[in-house]
Structure formats: structure tokens, C-alpha cells
Amino acid sequence: MTRNALTVVLVSVLTFGGLMVMLELTTPGGLIFNRPDAEIAALADEAFLTAEGRQIFFDARPRFRDEDELSQACDQRAFEPDDSDGGTTVGCYTGYDVISIFKPDDARLRPMMVTTAAHELLHAAYARLDPAERDEVDALVEAELMRVPADDGVHGQIAASVGDRSENRANELFAYLGSQVVLDGGFDPELETYYARYFTDRDALVDVFLAFESTLDGSGVELENGWADTGRS
């Protein structure tokens, strides 16, 4: 089974509440289908998902997880800091086509959930690319990573998520760059075209992440769950 996890840097571990978020409905003819929970649908809106992005996101059965559930869903790597940067898993996409997302008790951390949802959606989208598309994306993200400033913390996040699983590198690049990075002039137009399939406004999506990061890094706000710094430079 393949697992792809989003890693952030934490000062301390949060407490999360778990919730199953898909409702199973049966039509009069007996057809069973899933409808997203209202909060999951709202998260898709906040992540600026297109119709295609929403379909992939919902098909991947996104779920909120508590601490123990997330650790199991993400191959026991949740809440296990990376030795180099204190990285902690906040969500994952598995080969079973399931997206798992932390749900913090503190509502002020919701932007973290938006970034996590977008990141894991991109893993699900990557899994659905045909081989030729994947080869093209792999080359594009490697080239664009070279343009990201060396002091951008995303490099450390990528390294922590890839670890010794080099086969996941391009997949992680696709997810991190698409959800957290905007460069002057944008990425290569071909790569932006891929991202435009899933996001109506990728710049606005990245702004959610950057604004949240800036609040934590620069305001001195103390959140009740003890999250003081994402660790990005």
C-alpha cells in the first residue's frame, strides 16, 4: 500500500477529535452512494476546488481523524517527529484511496486543515494521472523545485515526507508545490495547467497557508493547543 503524508513542523503535539465524515445513502432503486459531510464540503470550498477537484476529493472519502486513528491510517508515522526538523504528520493519502486529515480542537487552526486537504487532494489527483501525464508532471515539478528559494521551509517538509521512499518524491513535489508555493510569474504554464484542473484560484489557496504561517511566526499569538510555530523560514 502506498502512503503519502503531509508533514509540518510543530513545537508541541495538538489534541484532535475524530469524526467519520461520509454519509451512506440508498436510493429508492437500491443504489448506494456516498455524500460528503457538510464540513468536508465546506473544506472543499475553502480549498478553492474545481468541479474535477471536488469529485476526486470526495471520491477519496476524506475523513477527520483523532490522534490514534491518524497514526494507524498514516502507517504509524503520525506524531512521530523527524529527527532533523521536528516534522509531524498532519494528514495522509493512502493507496486505499482514503484521505485522512487532522481536525484540531482550536478553530483558529482551520487554515492548516485547508492546506492539508489541498495537499492530499493533489496526491489523489496524481494517482489518477495516466502514465504519460505523470511523466510530464514528474519532470515539471523537479524543474520548478530548483526555482524555489533554498531557505523556503518546503524543502525540509519534502525531505521529511519523502524520507527513504525516493519513489514518492515526484508525488510529494506535486502536492507540496501546488498547495504551498507561488513563484513570481507562476510555475511553468504546463504545470499551472495541471493545477488549474483542481483549483479555481491557486494563488488564493497558497495565501491561506502563507497568512496562517505569518500569523504564527510573526504575531506572538499563543494558541490554546500549544501550536506556536510551523518552523518554516
Side-chain angles (χ1 to χ4, degrees), residues 17-76:
L19 175 68
M20 188 71 73
V21 296
M22 300 299 289
L23 303 177
E24 187 176 86
L25 304 177
T26 303
T27 68
L31 177 64
I32 296 176
F33 63 97
N34 287 328
R35 183 181 69 188
D37 166 90
E39 189 173 4
I40 283 292
L43 201 58
D45 291 339
E46 293 170 56
F48 302 94
L49 299 190
T50 63
E52 181 178 359
R54 291 171 71 90
Q55 184 63 54
I56 293 172
F57 187 58
F58 298 152
D59 282 351
R61 297 163 288 165
R63 289 162 166 76
F64 297 132
R65 305 285 192 183
D66 66 20
E67 183 174 333
D68 292 336
E69 291 168 342
L70 194 78
S71 183
Q72 293 180 4
C74 300
D75 193 23
Q76 305 298 322

Side-chain angles (χ1 to χ4, degrees), residues 115-129:
T115 300
T116 301
H119 178 104
E120 304 307 342
L121 171 277
L122 286 172
H123 282 315
Y126 184 89
R128 288 160 170 77
L129 296 175

Side-chain angles (χ1 to χ4, degrees), residues 210-221 227-233:
L210 295 178
F212 179 59
E213 177 189 59
S214 177
T215 297
L216 294 180
D217 287 347
S219 71
V221 172
W227 188 327
D229 188 3
T230 61
R232 278 176 55 103
S233 56

